[in-house]
Amino acid sequence: MSSTALAAIWRVPRRNAAEDEGRVRATIADRAYDDLKLMAMTFRFPPGERINEVTLSERLGISRTPLRVALNRLATEGYLTSLPQKGFYARTLSAEDIQQMFELRSVLEQGEA
């Protein structure tokens, strides 16, 4: 089956000129994902802390729908924890997680020498 036929079946939107040139526009959820991922990776969310969606959406200047899309994606990737009927939480770190981070850091620092 040709790609044109598949596009018709799945109603795949055609790419615009900017995308063809490699300048894909990020959605609001994509931008929120990038911001939140950085916040999670730099421990701006203390481990175990509940993520307040209302406060976070106001802080990022976006509605809660794209925020939830980003939060769900981060939970799927292990950066956050999602508890049904309770919300999202910053991932906690076990003693083993911390030990692995120190071991990785040691290996990386030895590689720089």
Side-chain angles (χ1 to χ4, degrees):
M1 186 174 281
S2 72
S3 62
T4 308
L6 285 174
I9 292 170
W10 293 101
R11 295 186 179 138
V12 176
R14 294 198 179 266
R15 294 173 9 173
N16 63 32
E19 290 173 330
D20 288 338
E21 294 174 18
R23 296 180 298 211
V24 178
R25 284 189 246 160
T27 65
I28 293 171
D30 290 335
R31 289 191 303 259
Y33 167 82
D34 291 338
D35 292 344
L36 293 171
K37 183 176 178 181
L38 181 61
M39 293 170 78
M41 290 173 51
T42 57
F43 296 98
R44 302 252 326 262
F45 303 125
E49 180 180 274
R50 185 174 186 280
I51 307 296
N52 185 319
E53 291 180 28
V54 174
T55 303
L56 198 52
S57 68
E58 289 171 357
R59 193 161 135 199
L60 295 175
I62 61 173
S63 69
R64 289 176 62 190
T65 300
L67 176 66
R68 284 191 192 120
V69 170
L71 290 170
N72 278 310
R73 186 172 164 195
L74 289 166
T76 300
E77 294 176 0
Y79 291 99
L80 301 175
T81 302
S82 174
L83 299 176
Q85 305 299 319
K86 296 195 180 206
F88 295 93
Y89 291 81
R91 189 177 132 196
T92 58
L93 297 174
S94 67
E96 184 179 329
D97 292 334
I98 295 169
Q99 178 66 32
Q100 288 176 355
M101 285 192 294
F102 277 111
E103 289 173 1
L104 177 61
R105 182 177 177 174
S106 175
V107 169
L108 292 172
E109 288 176 350
Q110 290 174 5
E112 290 178 4

mmCIF file of all heavy atoms in Angstrom, residues 5-54:
data_model
loop_
_atom_site.group_PDB
_atom_site.id
_atom_site.type_symbol
_atom_site.label_atom_id
_atom_site.label_comp_id
_atom_site.label_asym_id
_atom_site.label_seq_id
_atom_site.Cartn_x
_atom_site.Cartn_y
_atom_site.Cartn_z
ATOM 1 N N ALA A 5 -1.991 6.303 0.204
ATOM 2 C CA ALA A 5 -3.165 5.545 0.636
ATOM 3 C C ALA A 5 -3.201 5.420 2.150
ATOM 4 O O ALA A 5 -4.252 5.557 2.772
ATOM 5 C CB ALA A 5 -3.167 4.170 -0.016
ATOM 6 N N LEU A 6 -2.036 5.161 2.751
ATOM 7 C CA LEU A 6 -1.980 5.078 4.206
ATOM 8 C C LEU A 6 -2.347 6.414 4.843
ATOM 9 O O LEU A 6 -3.062 6.464 5.842
ATOM 10 C CB LEU A 6 -0.585 4.653 4.671
ATOM 11 C CG LEU A 6 -0.241 3.190 4.475
ATOM 12 C CD1 LEU A 6 1.217 2.945 4.854
ATOM 13 C CD2 LEU A 6 -1.154 2.311 5.294
ATOM 14 N N ALA A 7 -1.870 7.501 4.275
ATOM 15 C CA ALA A 7 -2.189 8.825 4.804
ATOM 16 C C ALA A 7 -3.685 9.087 4.735
ATOM 17 O O ALA A 7 -4.273 9.671 5.643
ATOM 18 C CB ALA A 7 -1.432 9.906 4.047
ATOM 19 N N ALA A 8 -4.317 8.634 3.669
ATOM 20 C CA ALA A 8 -5.763 8.825 3.531
ATOM 21 C C ALA A 8 -6.518 8.006 4.563
ATOM 22 O O ALA A 8 -7.489 8.463 5.148
ATOM 23 C CB ALA A 8 -6.209 8.457 2.123
ATOM 24 N N ILE A 9 -6.057 6.791 4.810
ATOM 25 C CA ILE A 9 -6.724 5.922 5.785
ATOM 26 C C ILE A 9 -6.581 6.498 7.191
ATOM 27 O O ILE A 9 -7.535 6.594 7.942
ATOM 28 C CB ILE A 9 -6.146 4.499 5.730
ATOM 29 C CG1 ILE A 9 -6.511 3.843 4.404
ATOM 30 C CG2 ILE A 9 -6.644 3.670 6.903
ATOM 31 C CD1 ILE A 9 -5.796 2.530 4.157
ATOM 32 N N TRP A 10 -5.385 6.877 7.545
ATOM 33 C CA TRP A 10 -5.116 7.355 8.899
ATOM 34 C C TRP A 10 -5.278 8.858 9.040
ATOM 35 O O TRP A 10 -5.121 9.401 10.114
ATOM 36 C CB TRP A 10 -3.705 6.937 9.326
ATOM 37 C CG TRP A 10 -3.613 5.466 9.481
ATOM 38 C CD1 TRP A 10 -3.083 4.583 8.586
ATOM 39 C CD2 TRP A 10 -4.091 4.681 10.562
ATOM 40 N NE1 TRP A 10 -3.192 3.315 9.048
ATOM 41 C CE2 TRP A 10 -3.811 3.334 10.270
ATOM 42 C CE3 TRP A 10 -4.730 4.973 11.766
ATOM 43 C CZ2 TRP A 10 -4.141 2.303 11.133
ATOM 44 C CZ3 TRP A 10 -5.060 3.930 12.614
ATOM 45 C CH2 TRP A 10 -4.767 2.627 12.292
ATOM 46 N N ARG A 11 -5.596 9.521 7.958
ATOM 47 C CA ARG A 11 -5.762 10.976 7.950
ATOM 48 C C ARG A 11 -4.564 11.683 8.581
ATOM 49 O O ARG A 11 -4.692 12.511 9.468
ATOM 50 C CB ARG A 11 -7.049 11.366 8.657
ATOM 51 C CG ARG A 11 -8.246 10.873 7.925
ATOM 52 C CD ARG A 11 -9.511 11.379 8.534
ATOM 53 N NE ARG A 11 -10.613 10.856 7.742
ATOM 54 C CZ ARG A 11 -11.726 10.390 8.246
ATOM 55 N NH1 ARG A 11 -11.912 10.412 9.538
ATOM 56 N NH2 ARG A 11 -12.662 9.927 7.472
ATOM 57 N N VAL A 12 -3.396 11.301 8.125
ATOM 58 C CA VAL A 12 -2.158 11.902 8.596
ATOM 59 C C VAL A 12 -2.063 13.309 8.031
ATOM 60 O O VAL A 12 -2.165 13.497 6.814
ATOM 61 C CB VAL A 12 -0.934 11.072 8.146
ATOM 62 C CG1 VAL A 12 0.357 11.743 8.541
ATOM 63 C CG2 VAL A 12 -1.032 9.665 8.703
ATOM 64 N N PRO A 13 -1.907 14.315 8.885
ATOM 65 C CA PRO A 13 -1.808 15.674 8.350
ATOM 66 C C PRO A 13 -0.528 15.850 7.547
ATOM 67 O O PRO A 13 0.505 15.273 7.857
ATOM 68 C CB PRO A 13 -1.785 16.547 9.606
ATOM 69 C CG PRO A 13 -1.384 15.648 10.711
ATOM 70 C CD PRO A 13 -1.794 14.263 10.328
ATOM 71 N N ARG A 14 -0.630 16.631 6.522
ATOM 72 C CA ARG A 14 0.552 16.912 5.708
ATOM 73 C C ARG A 14 1.486 17.840 6.471
ATOM 74 O O ARG A 14 1.051 18.684 7.222
ATOM 75 C CB ARG A 14 0.146 17.555 4.392
ATOM 76 C CG ARG A 14 -0.653 16.621 3.518
ATOM 77 C CD ARG A 14 -0.626 17.142 2.098
ATOM 78 N NE ARG A 14 -1.362 16.257 1.233
ATOM 79 C CZ ARG A 14 -0.810 15.275 0.540
ATOM 80 N NH1 ARG A 14 0.471 15.060 0.606
ATOM 81 N NH2 ARG A 14 -1.540 14.513 -0.232
ATOM 82 N N ARG A 15 2.769 17.642 6.253
ATOM 83 C CA ARG A 15 3.764 18.498 6.904
ATOM 84 C C ARG A 15 3.798 19.839 6.197
ATOM 85 O O ARG A 15 3.607 19.926 4.988
ATOM 86 C CB ARG A 15 5.129 17.828 6.834
ATOM 87 C CG ARG A 15 5.156 16.571 7.643
ATOM 88 C CD ARG A 15 6.393 15.750 7.518
ATOM 89 N NE ARG A 15 7.478 16.357 6.798
ATOM 90 C CZ ARG A 15 8.674 15.821 6.706
ATOM 91 N NH1 ARG A 15 8.917 14.686 7.266
ATOM 92 N NH2 ARG A 15 9.628 16.403 6.027
ATOM 93 N N ASN A 16 4.075 20.887 6.964
ATOM 94 C CA ASN A 16 4.188 22.198 6.336
ATOM 95 C C ASN A 16 5.640 22.459 5.945
ATOM 96 O O ASN A 16 6.532 21.677 6.244
ATOM 97 C CB ASN A 16 3.638 23.304 7.255
ATOM 98 C CG ASN A 16 4.418 23.444 8.536
ATOM 99 O OD1 ASN A 16 5.609 23.210 8.567
ATOM 100 N ND2 ASN A 16 3.739 23.826 9.600
ATOM 101 N N ALA A 17 5.874 23.555 5.276
ATOM 102 C CA ALA A 17 7.214 23.876 4.753
ATOM 103 C C ALA A 17 8.243 23.991 5.877
ATOM 104 O O ALA A 17 9.382 23.553 5.723
ATOM 105 C CB ALA A 17 7.164 25.163 3.946
ATOM 106 N N ALA A 18 7.867 24.574 7.004
ATOM 107 C CA ALA A 18 8.818 24.732 8.116
ATOM 108 C C ALA A 18 9.275 23.373 8.630
ATOM 109 O O ALA A 18 10.450 23.178 8.931
ATOM 110 C CB ALA A 18 8.190 25.537 9.246
ATOM 111 N N GLU A 19 8.358 22.414 8.702
ATOM 112 C CA GLU A 19 8.732 21.087 9.158
ATOM 113 C C GLU A 19 9.634 20.401 8.141
ATOM 114 O O GLU A 19 10.555 19.684 8.511
ATOM 115 C CB GLU A 19 7.484 20.246 9.420
ATOM 116 C CG GLU A 19 6.707 20.713 10.626
ATOM 117 C CD GLU A 19 5.394 19.984 10.785
ATOM 118 O OE1 GLU A 19 4.806 19.576 9.770
ATOM 119 O OE2 GLU A 19 4.955 19.849 11.932
ATOM 120 N N ASP A 20 9.359 20.626 6.860
ATOM 121 C CA ASP A 20 10.201 20.039 5.830
ATOM 122 C C ASP A 20 11.632 20.552 5.919
ATOM 123 O O ASP A 20 12.566 19.860 5.557
ATOM 124 C CB ASP A 20 9.639 20.331 4.438
ATOM 125 C CG ASP A 20 8.386 19.524 4.159
ATOM 126 O OD1 ASP A 20 8.203 18.468 4.819
ATOM 127 O OD2 ASP A 20 7.591 19.937 3.300
ATOM 128 N N GLU A 21 11.799 21.760 6.406
ATOM 129 C CA GLU A 21 13.131 22.333 6.544
ATOM 130 C C GLU A 21 13.771 21.988 7.879
ATOM 131 O O GLU A 21 14.827 22.488 8.215
ATOM 132 C CB GLU A 21 13.053 23.850 6.390
ATOM 133 C CG GLU A 21 12.652 24.287 4.998
ATOM 134 C CD GLU A 21 12.448 25.781 4.904
ATOM 135 O OE1 GLU A 21 12.938 26.510 5.786
ATOM 136 O OE2 GLU A 21 11.801 26.218 3.951
ATOM 137 N N GLY A 22 13.119 21.131 8.689
ATOM 138 C CA GLY A 22 13.705 20.704 9.947
ATOM 139 C C GLY A 22 13.388 21.606 11.123
ATOM 140 O O GLY A 22 13.948 21.448 12.190
ATOM 141 N N ARG A 23 12.491 22.539 10.949
ATOM 142 C CA ARG A 23 12.140 23.444 12.047
ATOM 143 C C ARG A 23 10.752 23.076 12.566
ATOM 144 O O ARG A 23 9.790 23.806 12.372
ATOM 145 C CB ARG A 23 12.147 24.889 11.584
ATOM 146 C CG ARG A 23 13.524 25.362 11.162
ATOM 147 C CD ARG A 23 13.458 26.770 10.713
ATOM 148 N NE ARG A 23 12.567 26.827 9.543
ATOM 149 C CZ ARG A 23 12.682 27.680 8.557
ATOM 150 N NH1 ARG A 23 13.618 28.570 8.579
ATOM 151 N NH2 ARG A 23 11.848 27.658 7.535
ATOM 152 N N VAL A 24 10.656 21.958 13.234
ATOM 153 C CA VAL A 24 9.383 21.479 13.741
ATOM 154 C C VAL A 24 8.975 22.325 14.942
ATOM 155 O O VAL A 24 9.771 22.563 15.841
ATOM 156 C CB VAL A 24 9.482 19.993 14.145
ATOM 157 C CG1 VAL A 24 8.174 19.500 14.712
ATOM 158 C CG2 VAL A 24 9.913 19.160 12.959
ATOM 159 N N ARG A 25 7.741 22.803 14.910
ATOM 160 C CA ARG A 25 7.245 23.594 16.035
ATOM 161 C C ARG A 25 6.825 22.666 17.166
ATOM 162 O O ARG A 25 6.102 21.699 16.946
ATOM 163 C CB ARG A 25 6.049 24.440 15.603
ATOM 164 C CG ARG A 25 6.465 25.630 14.799
ATOM 165 C CD ARG A 25 5.283 26.511 14.610
ATOM 166 N NE ARG A 25 4.990 26.489 13.181
ATOM 167 C CZ ARG A 25 3.851 26.822 12.647
ATOM 168 N NH1 ARG A 25 2.859 27.199 13.389
ATOM 169 N NH2 ARG A 25 3.681 26.789 11.348
ATOM 170 N N ALA A 26 7.271 22.971 18.359
ATOM 171 C CA ALA A 26 6.899 22.171 19.516
ATOM 172 C C ALA A 26 5.520 22.592 20.012
ATOM 173 O O ALA A 26 5.163 23.759 19.953
ATOM 174 C CB ALA A 26 7.927 22.358 20.623
ATOM 175 N N THR A 27 4.760 21.632 20.495
ATOM 176 C CA THR A 27 3.465 21.948 21.071
ATOM 177 C C THR A 27 3.666 22.502 22.475
ATOM 178 O O THR A 27 4.760 22.413 23.045
ATOM 179 C CB THR A 27 2.579 20.690 21.145
ATOM 180 O OG1 THR A 27 3.187 19.771 22.064
ATOM 181 C CG2 THR A 27 2.406 20.045 19.780
ATOM 182 N N ILE A 28 2.606 23.036 23.034
ATOM 183 C CA ILE A 28 2.672 23.542 24.406
ATOM 184 C C ILE A 28 3.037 22.400 25.349
ATOM 185 O O ILE A 28 3.850 22.570 26.258
ATOM 186 C CB ILE A 28 1.338 24.192 24.801
ATOM 187 C CG1 ILE A 28 1.097 25.454 23.974
ATOM 188 C CG2 ILE A 28 1.306 24.522 26.287
ATOM 189 C CD1 ILE A 28 -0.282 26.053 24.128
ATOM 190 N N ALA A 29 2.469 21.227 25.120
ATOM 191 C CA ALA A 29 2.773 20.068 25.963
ATOM 192 C C ALA A 29 4.243 19.666 25.834
ATOM 193 O O ALA A 29 4.874 19.291 26.827
ATOM 194 C CB ALA A 29 1.868 18.897 25.606
ATOM 195 N N ASP A 30 4.802 19.768 24.628
ATOM 196 C CA ASP A 30 6.225 19.441 24.428
ATOM 197 C C ASP A 30 7.119 20.414 25.185
ATOM 198 O O ASP A 30 8.102 20.012 25.810
ATOM 199 C CB ASP A 30 6.595 19.470 22.943
ATOM 200 C CG ASP A 30 5.982 18.337 22.147
ATOM 201 O OD1 ASP A 30 5.666 17.287 22.747
ATOM 202 O OD2 ASP A 30 5.814 18.503 20.927
ATOM 203 N N ARG A 31 6.772 21.688 25.102
ATOM 204 C CA ARG A 31 7.569 22.686 25.837
ATOM 205 C C ARG A 31 7.443 22.484 27.345
ATOM 206 O O ARG A 31 8.424 22.585 28.073
ATOM 207 C CB ARG A 31 7.158 24.095 25.429
ATOM 208 C CG ARG A 31 7.596 24.445 24.015
ATOM 209 C CD ARG A 31 7.427 25.919 23.708
ATOM 210 N NE ARG A 31 6.060 26.390 23.900
ATOM 211 C CZ ARG A 31 5.182 26.591 22.927
ATOM 212 N NH1 ARG A 31 5.530 26.371 21.676
ATOM 213 N NH2 ARG A 31 3.976 27.015 23.189
ATOM 214 N N ALA A 32 6.223 22.174 27.806
ATOM 215 C CA ALA A 32 6.013 21.902 29.227
ATOM 216 C C ALA A 32 6.814 20.678 29.650
ATOM 217 O O ALA A 32 7.439 20.663 30.714
ATOM 218 C CB ALA A 32 4.533 21.695 29.517
ATOM 219 N N TYR A 33 6.821 19.651 28.802
ATOM 220 C CA TYR A 33 7.588 18.435 29.082
ATOM 221 C C TYR A 33 9.065 18.767 29.266
ATOM 222 O O TYR A 33 9.692 18.330 30.229
ATOM 223 C CB TYR A 33 7.402 17.426 27.953
ATOM 224 C CG TYR A 33 8.384 16.289 27.997
ATOM 225 C CD1 TYR A 33 8.176 15.196 28.835
ATOM 226 C CD2 TYR A 33 9.533 16.309 27.209
ATOM 227 C CE1 TYR A 33 9.090 14.159 28.887
ATOM 228 C CE2 TYR A 33 10.445 15.285 27.253
ATOM 229 C CZ TYR A 33 10.218 14.202 28.094
ATOM 230 O OH TYR A 33 11.138 13.183 28.155
ATOM 231 N N ASP A 34 9.617 19.556 28.356
ATOM 232 C CA ASP A 34 11.034 19.926 28.449
ATOM 233 C C ASP A 34 11.317 20.683 29.740
ATOM 234 O O ASP A 34 12.304 20.401 30.432
ATOM 235 C CB ASP A 34 11.453 20.769 27.243
ATOM 236 C CG ASP A 34 11.476 19.984 25.942
ATOM 237 O OD1 ASP A 34 11.581 18.737 25.996
ATOM 238 O OD2 ASP A 34 11.379 20.619 24.877
ATOM 239 N N ASP A 35 10.463 21.655 30.074
ATOM 240 C CA ASP A 35 10.654 22.434 31.305
ATOM 241 C C ASP A 35 10.549 21.559 32.548
ATOM 242 O O ASP A 35 11.380 21.640 33.452
ATOM 243 C CB ASP A 35 9.630 23.566 31.398
ATOM 244 C CG ASP A 35 9.839 24.650 30.358
ATOM 245 O OD1 ASP A 35 10.941 24.706 29.756
ATOM 246 O OD2 ASP A 35 8.905 25.446 30.145
ATOM 247 N N LEU A 36 9.525 20.713 32.580
ATOM 248 C CA LEU A 36 9.311 19.857 33.748
ATOM 249 C C LEU A 36 10.397 18.797 33.886
ATOM 250 O O LEU A 36 10.803 18.461 35.002
ATOM 251 C CB LEU A 36 7.938 19.193 33.663
ATOM 252 C CG LEU A 36 6.750 20.144 33.770
ATOM 253 C CD1 LEU A 36 5.460 19.408 33.462
ATOM 254 C CD2 LEU A 36 6.688 20.792 35.138
ATOM 255 N N LYS A 37 10.865 18.282 32.769
ATOM 256 C CA LYS A 37 11.937 17.282 32.823
ATOM 257 C C LYS A 37 13.192 17.899 33.427
ATOM 258 O O LYS A 37 13.840 17.297 34.283
ATOM 259 C CB LYS A 37 12.231 16.738 31.430
ATOM 260 C CG LYS A 37 13.273 15.652 31.407
ATOM 261 C CD LYS A 37 13.449 15.092 30.002
ATOM 262 C CE LYS A 37 14.520 14.036 29.945
ATOM 263 N NZ LYS A 37 14.702 13.523 28.585
ATOM 264 N N LEU A 38 13.512 19.111 33.001
ATOM 265 C CA LEU A 38 14.667 19.804 33.566
ATOM 266 C C LEU A 38 14.472 20.037 35.064
ATOM 267 O O LEU A 38 15.390 19.834 35.851
ATOM 268 C CB LEU A 38 14.898 21.133 32.844
ATOM 269 C CG LEU A 38 16.080 21.953 33.325
ATOM 270 C CD1 LEU A 38 17.392 21.187 33.136
ATOM 271 C CD2 LEU A 38 16.139 23.275 32.592
ATOM 272 N N MET A 39 13.262 20.440 35.448
ATOM 273 C CA MET A 39 12.976 20.656 36.863
ATOM 274 C C MET A 39 13.130 19.360 37.663
ATOM 275 O O MET A 39 13.677 19.361 38.768
ATOM 276 C CB MET A 39 11.563 21.227 37.037
ATOM 277 C CG MET A 39 11.410 22.625 36.486
ATOM 278 S SD MET A 39 9.701 23.191 36.432
ATOM 279 C CE MET A 39 9.441 23.603 38.142
ATOM 280 N N ALA A 40 12.660 18.243 37.109
ATOM 281 C CA ALA A 40 12.773 16.957 37.798
ATOM 282 C C ALA A 40 14.232 16.513 37.893
ATOM 283 O O ALA A 40 14.669 16.010 38.935
ATOM 284 C CB ALA A 40 11.940 15.897 37.075
ATOM 285 N N MET A 41 14.981 16.725 36.819
ATOM 286 C CA MET A 41 16.381 16.284 36.793
ATOM 287 C C MET A 41 17.270 17.109 37.707
ATOM 288 O O MET A 41 18.300 16.630 38.168
ATOM 289 C CB MET A 41 16.910 16.318 35.360
ATOM 290 C CG MET A 41 16.298 15.251 34.490
ATOM 291 S SD MET A 41 16.740 15.367 32.735
ATOM 292 C CE MET A 41 18.502 15.468 32.778
ATOM 293 N N THR A 42 16.885 18.346 37.966
ATOM 294 C CA THR A 42 17.698 19.224 38.820
ATOM 295 C C THR A 42 17.119 19.329 40.230
ATOM 296 O O THR A 42 17.476 20.219 40.976
ATOM 297 C CB THR A 42 17.825 20.625 38.193
ATOM 298 O OG1 THR A 42 16.514 21.171 37.988
ATOM 299 C CG2 THR A 42 18.585 20.573 36.882
ATOM 300 N N PHE A 43 16.225 18.419 40.563
ATOM 301 C CA PHE A 43 15.628 18.313 41.893
ATOM 302 C C PHE A 43 14.910 19.587 42.339
ATOM 303 O O PHE A 43 14.904 19.929 43.508
ATOM 304 C CB PHE A 43 16.664 17.884 42.934
ATOM 305 C CG PHE A 43 17.194 16.507 42.678
ATOM 306 C CD1 PHE A 43 18.401 16.319 42.023
ATOM 307 C CD2 PHE A 43 16.473 15.397 43.062
ATOM 308 C CE1 PHE A 43 18.880 15.043 41.761
ATOM 309 C CE2 PHE A 43 16.936 14.114 42.807
ATOM 310 C CZ PHE A 43 18.144 13.941 42.162
ATOM 311 N N ARG A 44 14.281 20.286 41.389
ATOM 312 C CA ARG A 44 13.438 21.426 41.753
ATOM 313 C C ARG A 44 12.155 20.936 42.409
ATOM 314 O O ARG A 44 11.455 21.697 43.044
ATOM 315 C CB ARG A 44 13.128 22.281 40.530
ATOM 316 C CG ARG A 44 14.369 22.805 39.844
ATOM 317 C CD ARG A 44 14.700 24.266 39.953
ATOM 318 N NE ARG A 44 13.656 25.233 40.015
ATOM 319 C CZ ARG A 44 13.176 25.953 39.005
ATOM 320 N NH1 ARG A 44 13.648 25.761 37.790
ATOM 321 N NH2 ARG A 44 12.259 26.850 39.191
ATOM 322 N N PHE A 45 11.849 19.635 42.207
ATOM 323 C CA PHE A 45 10.771 18.972 42.929
ATOM 324 C C PHE A 45 11.442 18.092 43.980
ATOM 325 O O PHE A 45 12.073 17.101 43.622
ATOM 326 C CB PHE A 45 9.927 18.072 42.015
ATOM 327 C CG PHE A 45 9.310 18.772 40.835
ATOM 328 C CD1 PHE A 45 9.527 18.310 39.560
ATOM 329 C CD2 PHE A 45 8.494 19.876 41.010
ATOM 330 C CE1 PHE A 45 8.945 18.929 38.464
ATOM 331 C CE2 PHE A 45 7.913 20.508 39.917
ATOM 332 C CZ PHE A 45 8.136 20.031 38.648
ATOM 333 N N PRO A 46 11.344 18.433 45.245
ATOM 334 C CA PRO A 46 11.968 17.571 46.258
ATOM 335 C C PRO A 46 11.406 16.145 46.192
ATOM 336 O O PRO A 46 10.211 15.962 45.948
ATOM 337 C CB PRO A 46 11.591 18.247 47.582
ATOM 338 C CG PRO A 46 11.328 19.673 47.223
ATOM 339 C CD PRO A 46 10.742 19.628 45.833
ATOM 340 N N PRO A 47 12.254 15.131 46.375
ATOM 341 C CA PRO A 47 11.795 13.741 46.281
ATOM 342 C C PRO A 47 10.586 13.485 47.182
ATOM 343 O O PRO A 47 10.558 13.864 48.342
ATOM 344 C CB PRO A 47 13.011 12.933 46.745
ATOM 345 C CG PRO A 47 14.170 13.810 46.392
ATOM 346 C CD PRO A 47 13.690 15.213 46.626
ATOM 347 N N GLY A 48 9.568 12.861 46.590
ATOM 348 C CA GLY A 48 8.359 12.517 47.322
ATOM 349 C C GLY A 48 7.321 13.615 47.403
ATOM 350 O O GLY A 48 6.205 13.389 47.858
ATOM 351 N N GLU A 49 7.659 14.818 46.942
ATOM 352 C CA GLU A 49 6.721 15.944 47.029
ATOM 353 C C GLU A 49 5.594 15.803 46.009
ATOM 354 O O GLU A 49 5.821 15.432 44.870
ATOM 355 C CB GLU A 49 7.461 17.262 46.781
ATOM 356 C CG GLU A 49 6.552 18.478 46.845
ATOM 357 C CD GLU A 49 7.315 19.763 46.602
ATOM 358 O OE1 GLU A 49 7.865 20.296 47.564
ATOM 359 O OE2 GLU A 49 7.375 20.194 45.439
ATOM 360 N N ARG A 50 4.366 16.137 46.441
ATOM 361 C CA ARG A 50 3.218 16.109 45.536
ATOM 362 C C ARG A 50 3.325 17.301 44.587
ATOM 363 O O ARG A 50 3.635 18.405 44.997
ATOM 364 C CB ARG A 50 1.907 16.187 46.310
ATOM 365 C CG ARG A 50 0.700 16.050 45.406
ATOM 366 C CD ARG A 50 -0.588 15.983 46.237
ATOM 367 N NE ARG A 50 -1.725 15.719 45.407
ATOM 368 C CZ ARG A 50 -2.359 16.644 44.675
ATOM 369 N NH1 ARG A 50 -1.957 17.891 44.693
ATOM 370 N NH2 ARG A 50 -3.388 16.319 43.939
ATOM 371 N N ILE A 51 3.044 17.064 43.315
ATOM 372 C CA ILE A 51 3.081 18.114 42.296
ATOM 373 C C ILE A 51 1.702 18.785 42.270
ATOM 374 O O ILE A 51 0.702 18.144 41.990
ATOM 375 C CB ILE A 51 3.393 17.527 40.894
ATOM 376 C CG1 ILE A 51 4.650 16.675 40.915
ATOM 377 C CG2 ILE A 51 3.459 18.628 39.854
ATOM 378 C CD1 ILE A 51 5.918 17.380 41.233
ATOM 379 N N ASN A 52 1.658 20.071 42.561
ATOM 380 C CA ASN A 52 0.410 20.819 42.545
ATOM 381 C C ASN A 52 0.185 21.330 41.127
ATOM 382 O O ASN A 52 0.861 22.254 40.673
ATOM 383 C CB ASN A 52 0.477 21.975 43.543
ATOM 384 C CG ASN A 52 -0.826 22.717 43.657
ATOM 385 O OD1 ASN A 52 -1.510 22.974 42.667
ATOM 386 N ND2 ASN A 52 -1.169 23.080 44.881
ATOM 387 N N GLU A 53 -0.783 20.735 40.425
ATOM 388 C CA GLU A 53 -1.027 21.068 39.021
ATOM 389 C C GLU A 53 -1.470 22.515 38.826
ATOM 390 O O GLU A 53 -1.062 23.162 37.869
ATOM 391 C CB GLU A 53 -2.072 20.130 38.425
ATOM 392 C CG GLU A 53 -1.599 18.708 38.271
ATOM 393 C CD GLU A 53 -2.674 17.814 37.681
ATOM 394 O OE1 GLU A 53 -3.541 18.306 36.940
ATOM 395 O OE2 GLU A 53 -2.637 16.604 37.964
ATOM 396 N N VAL A 54 -2.307 23.014 39.713
ATOM 397 C CA VAL A 54 -2.811 24.387 39.576
ATOM 398 C C VAL A 54 -1.661 25.382 39.684
ATOM 399 O O VAL A 54 -1.492 26.259 38.827
ATOM 400 C CB VAL A 54 -3.907 24.677 40.626
ATOM 401 C CG1 VAL A 54 -4.317 26.139 40.576
ATOM 402 C CG2 VAL A 54 -5.104 23.777 40.424
#
